[in-house]
């Protein structure tokens, strides 16, 4: 047996040696996907089935392409030249330059980045007399790119698909944008696949040429392909049909950027007679982790089906998946910090610990707790909370309220959102400020009073100064939480983000909500700003051993010894916005995200949920995520706060502190005799009197905290 085959298990070897006809390799998490793909590539070369230039190997990232190239060279014992190995965009660009004239471009065409695309679209909108205020360019660009992801040029888009975008002129705008790109001898990223797909459809001779050249196709992460990528691959594979796609339908989590899980689900229909090989031996995680993940994902109907099992003797045993039921989100952050400290004391490497959250705003509480404990951390795939652009903008507004002479803060926000204050107006402000030795705000007031600052810029600055004065009065009377919440809305900042339809925009809005939540922890705005300054000053930028904080999306493909999964509550995970927009299909993708999170862990998984979370300045009751109910109890070890933990019912496993899902097993207020007039005790708000009751929903007049709405399961009769 060749050495490169001897290292494979039977299923992996079958995936490598099944060389003729279409092959779908369903590679579960930790089952050796990359090893199979690279070994198959090398096997084709070693057996003489193909030369380097006859294999087209497609990946999603440059990192994956480099890794495949290095592993193939390691198996062969030497570097290989002439490979057609790279990302979808890189390979499509390489092919398109050969035939650019057929799509109206020169071979030296320019590939525009995101900023250049937006700048060009704004020019086209101006020429077409489309109001950029009413129809923000990022919104329209997002729609154009979605069409390109679906392989639809202007001629292929159905008129009704454009709706009333751009005042009903969206298709005309799309066509004008494409014409302008050709005039500039340019293409955007979406064009690379779009042009190549159209070119192959319309030129059978060129398609036949590539059928002869590429005898074998290898595709990584097939579950993440969009429609344009799918169409391009189908065209190239339709003759020889020697296409091998490796992927995992249970890890398809990128629909928000165009990925279509249906591409992998219908592989056998697209390629009749295809061989489907399931890789189910996991070499990463322990048996309880795999059992919990498999049981959870089995609730998805839209999947081809496989069950992970331990692939090595080391994984046969292991800890149960821990579920911690905590009283509130503050205790959740403390619990994670304490567990990490304990792991560090026991000799665990911080680099082998990750906290995986559903949304980026959740990292703030954990960042602050880790800083307090002196535990170094990194935010993977994103910025630390207080470094994010929207948070820095909000902090700049806050600084201006406290200190009107803060010129750096004024410069940052004077034109955010846009107020017509360009470079010329800003230069005039600086010149006046320097000449009179006054802050920019005072210089602005003087220029306005003297009539030297007019037009749109003058009106924008005048309105900003008036708003700042009004918000300072509000700060004195209504407090910093109410004021900053109003400021973000009234300044137009929130509307600016709402108008942005990029995939990042919803997360930025959530970050602003978390910013307001953070304010409530401080008695004054000045105290909060001091805290932020100290937090950012104390950040540790050395390359020491660090805990990783990241979103579940950013964690795909990574693995750690210990994984914390906080925020497993309805309203956080599954994400309510996703469910509202996508229904059952979105719920299944949320469940795949949960599956991805669990399967990142080698040794231990700790899932956390809180009975209460703060929304702005108010506390809101929460119930555990439905995903927890979908994991069999035999694989879980539950524990947590006594007050957030109903008593273990008869028949529960002995020796395990069990916190069952609160919404399913805790008795309601009505069942416990709590009614109007009852005196009760609430752990956070203290004693109070029930003034209205509806089964388990109570309105309570607390002695010290005022009137609040709470769930009855969280109060006790006194």
């Amino acid at each position: 047996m060749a050495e490169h085959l001897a290292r494979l298990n039977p299923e992996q070897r079958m995936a490598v040696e099944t060389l003729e006809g279409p092959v779908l390799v369903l590679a579960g998490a930790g089952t050796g996907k990359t090893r199979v793909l690279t070994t198959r590539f090398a096997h084709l070369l070693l057996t003489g089935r193909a030369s380097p230039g006859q294999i087209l190997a497609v990946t999603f990232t440059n990192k994956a392409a480099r890794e495949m190239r290095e592993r193939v060279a390691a198996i062969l014992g030497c570097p290989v030249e002439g490979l057609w190995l790279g990302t979808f965009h890189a390979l499509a660009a390489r092919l398109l330059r050969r035939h650019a004239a057929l799509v109206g471009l020169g071979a030296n065409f320019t590939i525009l980045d995101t900023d250049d695309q937006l700048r060009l679209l704004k020019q086209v909108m101006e020429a077409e007399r489309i109001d950029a205020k009413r129809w923000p360019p990022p919104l329209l660009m997002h729609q154009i790119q979605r069409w390109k992801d679906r392989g639809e040029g202007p001629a292929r888009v159905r008129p009704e698909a454009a709706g009333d975008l751009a005042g009903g002129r969206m298709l005309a705008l799309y066509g004008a944008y494409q014409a302008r790109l050709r005039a500039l001898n340019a293409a955007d990223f979406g064009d690379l696949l779009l042009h190549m797909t159209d070119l192959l459809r319309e030129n059978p001779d060129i398609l036949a040429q590539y059928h002869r050249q590429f005898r074998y196709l290898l595709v990584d992460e097939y579950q993440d392909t969009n429609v344009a990528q799918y169409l391009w691959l189908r065209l190239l594979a339709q003759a020889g049909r020697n296409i091998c796609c490796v992927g995992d339908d249970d890890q398809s989590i990128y629909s928000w950027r165009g990925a279509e899980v249906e591409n992998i689900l219908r592989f056998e229909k697209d390629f009749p007679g295809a061989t489907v090989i399931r890789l189910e031996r996991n070499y990463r995680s322990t048996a309880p982790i795999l059992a919990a993940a498999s049981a959870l994902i089995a609730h998805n109907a839209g999947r081809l089906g496989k069950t992970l099992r331990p692939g090595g003797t080391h994984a046969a045993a292991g800890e149960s998946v821990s579920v911690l039921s905590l009283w509130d989100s503050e205790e959740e952050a403390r619990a994670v910090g304490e567990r990490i400290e304990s792991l560090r004391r026991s000799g665990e490497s911080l680099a082998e610990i990750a906290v995986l959250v559903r949304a980026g705003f959740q990292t703030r509480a954990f960042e602050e707790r880790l800083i307090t404990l002196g535990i170094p951390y990194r935010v993977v795939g994103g910025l630390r909370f207080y470094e994010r652009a929207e948070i820095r903008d909000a902090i700049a507004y806050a600084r201006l309220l406290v200190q009107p002479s803060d010129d750096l803060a004024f410069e940052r926000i004077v034109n955010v959102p846009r107020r017509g204050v360009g470079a010329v107006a800003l230069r005039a402000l600086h010149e006046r400020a320097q000449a009179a030795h006054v802050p920019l705000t005072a210089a602005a007031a003087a220029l306005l009073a003297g009539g030297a600052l007019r037009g749109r810029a003058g009106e924008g600055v005048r309105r900003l100064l008036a708003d700042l004065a009004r918000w300072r009065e509000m700060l004195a009377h209504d407090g910093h939480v109410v004021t900053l919440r109003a400021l973000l809305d009234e300044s137009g900042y929130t509307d600016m983000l709402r108008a942005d339809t990029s995939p990042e925009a919803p997360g930025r809005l959530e970050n602003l909500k978390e910013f307001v939540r953070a304010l409530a922890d401080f008695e004054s705005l000045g105290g909060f700003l001091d805290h932020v300054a100290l937090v950012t000053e104390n950040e540790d930028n050395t390359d020491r051993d660090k805990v990783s904080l990241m979103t579940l999306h950013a964690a795909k493909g990574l693995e750690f010894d210990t994984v914390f999964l906080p925020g497993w509550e309805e309203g956080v995970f599954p994400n309510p916005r996703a469910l509202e927009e996508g229904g059952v299909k979105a719920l299944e993708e949320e469940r795949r995200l949960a599956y991805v999170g669990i399967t990142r862990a080698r040794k231990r998984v700790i899932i956390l949920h809180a009975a209460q979370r703060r929304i702005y300045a108010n506390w809101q009751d929460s119930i555990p995520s439905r995903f927890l109910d979908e994991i069999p109890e035999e694989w879980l070890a539950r524990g947590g706060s006594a007050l957030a933990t109903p008593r273990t019912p008869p028949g529960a496993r002995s020796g395990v502190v069990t916190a069952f899902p609160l919404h399913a097993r805790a008795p309601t207020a009505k069942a416990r005799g709590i009614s109007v007039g009852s005196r009760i005790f609430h752990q956070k708000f203290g004693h109070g009197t029930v003034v209205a009751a509806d089964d388990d929903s109570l309105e309570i007049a607390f002695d010290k905290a005022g009137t609040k709405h709470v769930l009855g399961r969280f109060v006790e009769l006194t």
Side-chain angles (χ1 to χ4, degrees), residues 204-512:
D205 55 328
I206 295 176
L207 180 59
Q209 171 191 331
Y210 288 117
H211 285 162
R212 290 190 295 271
Q213 177 178 345
F214 298 130
R215 297 182 58 189
Y216 293 92
L217 275 68
L218 300 177
V219 186
D220 191 14
E221 304 284 13
Y222 189 61
Q223 78 282 349
D224 293 334
T225 52
N226 61 35
V227 174
Q229 293 161 343
Y230 160 81
L231 293 172
W232 183 63
L233 291 170
R234 278 199 64 187
L235 284 165
L236 291 173
Q238 67 184 202
R241 290 178 17 107
N242 290 332
I243 181 171
C244 175
C245 295
V246 180
D248 184 0
D249 52 325
D250 292 333
Q251 295 188 71
S252 180
I253 58 174
Y254 297 120
S255 65
W256 48 275
R257 67 184 190 198
E260 296 275 355
V261 68
E262 288 79 8
N263 292 348
I264 193 170
L265 296 180
R266 64 168 175 251
F267 187 88
E268 291 177 274
K269 183 178 179 181
D270 289 336
F271 299 100
T275 302
V276 179
I277 301 167
R278 288 171 168 79
L279 304 185
E280 299 172 305
R281 301 191 197 194
N282 177 285
Y283 295 93
R284 175 189 301 160
S285 308
T286 62
I289 291 173
L290 297 179
S294 295
L296 174 64
I297 201 63
H299 286 79
N300 272 8
R303 63 191 294 260
L304 297 171
K306 62 185 174 305
T307 302
L308 296 180
R309 61 184 187 276
T313 55
H314 70 285
E319 302 176 19
S320 296
V321 172
S322 296
V323 178
L324 298 184
S325 303
L326 303 167
W327 180 247
D328 58 28
S329 49
E330 294 176 359
E331 187 183 6
E332 179 184 63
R334 287 196 299 272
V336 170
E338 289 166 5
R339 290 285 183 111
I340 292 175
E341 275 198 307
S342 177
L343 288 167
R344 179 163 66 167
R345 284 195 300 269
S346 66
E348 295 276 347
S349 166
L350 293 180
E352 290 299 338
I353 301 172
V355 181
L356 310 183
V357 297
R358 173 60 183 88
F361 75 87
Q362 292 173 261
T363 67
R364 183 194 65 83
F366 302 104
E367 289 186 57
E368 298 209 2
R369 189 63 190 161
L370 293 176
I371 289 171
T372 300
L373 295 173
I375 297 175
Y377 71 92
R378 62 170 60 87
V379 177
V380 179
L383 296 170
R384 294 170 180 247
F385 184 80
Y386 291 115
E387 292 175 347
R388 296 167 191 172
E390 61 277 10
I391 301 305
R392 292 175 73 92
D393 290 342
I395 289 171
Y397 273 108
R399 282 165 49 189
L400 265 182
L401 294 187
V402 173
Q403 178 51 270
S405 62
D406 190 330
D407 285 356
L408 291 177
F410 181 81
E411 270 190 285
R412 184 177 182 93
I413 58 86
V414 67
N415 203 39
V416 181
R418 294 190 182 279
R419 298 184 175 93
V421 184
V424 173
L426 201 55
R427 185 164 57 250
L429 289 173
H430 273 290
E431 289 172 354
R432 181 58 179 262
Q434 290 168 5
H437 303 289
V438 296
L440 287 174
T441 50
L447 288 175
L448 287 169
L453 194 59
R454 297 189 296 271
R456 188 177 169 214
E459 179 56 33
V461 172
R462 186 188 308 278
R463 192 167 58 250
L464 174 61
L465 293 182
D467 283 343
L468 286 168
R470 180 168 51 82
W471 292 326
R472 287 190 190 103
E473 289 183 10
M474 186 184 295
L475 182 64
H477 292 94
D478 299 330
H480 57 294
V481 176
V482 171
T483 301
L484 265 295
R485 189 191 311 167
L487 183 156
L488 291 170
D489 288 338
E490 294 170 6
S491 66
Y493 198 96
T494 304
D495 286 338
M496 178 186 75
L497 293 187
R498 288 196 183 109
D500 181 0
T501 59
S502 68
E504 296 79 20
R508 297 179 69 192
L509 281 166
E510 289 175 337
N511 289 340
L512 284 184

Side-chain angles (χ1 to χ4, degrees), residues 89 96 105 145 148 174 177-178 181 186-197:
H89 287 124
L96 185 58
L105 296 173
Q145 294 306 323
K148 291 186 178 184
Y174 185 12
Y177 173 73
Q178 291 301 96
L181 280 169
D188 61 27
F189 280 103
D191 283 329
L192 300 176
L193 268 297
L194 179 67
H195 285 329
M196 274 311 304
T197 301

Side-chain angles (χ1 to χ4, degrees), residues 648-665:
T648 305
R653 291 171 297 150
S654 60
V656 178
V657 178
T658 308
F660 288 93
L662 304 180
H663 63 296
R665 295 173 175 85

Side-chain angles (χ1 to χ4, degrees), residues 34-86:
T34 305
R35 170 175 286 187
V36 165
L37 202 59
T38 53
T39 305
R40 182 182 173 93
F41 197 135
H43 190 67
L44 286 167
L45 298 176
L46 287 169
T47 57
R49 295 294 190 103
S51 64
Q54 293 177 319
I55 304 171
L56 183 72
V58 190
T59 67
F60 269 87
T61 66
N62 290 317
K63 178 183 176 183
R66 283 195 304 272
E67 184 178 1
M68 188 182 296
R69 187 182 300 273
E70 290 166 1
R71 289 199 183 194
V72 169
I75 293 173
L76 297 177
C78 63
V80 184
E81 300 298 329
L83 295 179
W84 282 80
L85 166 61

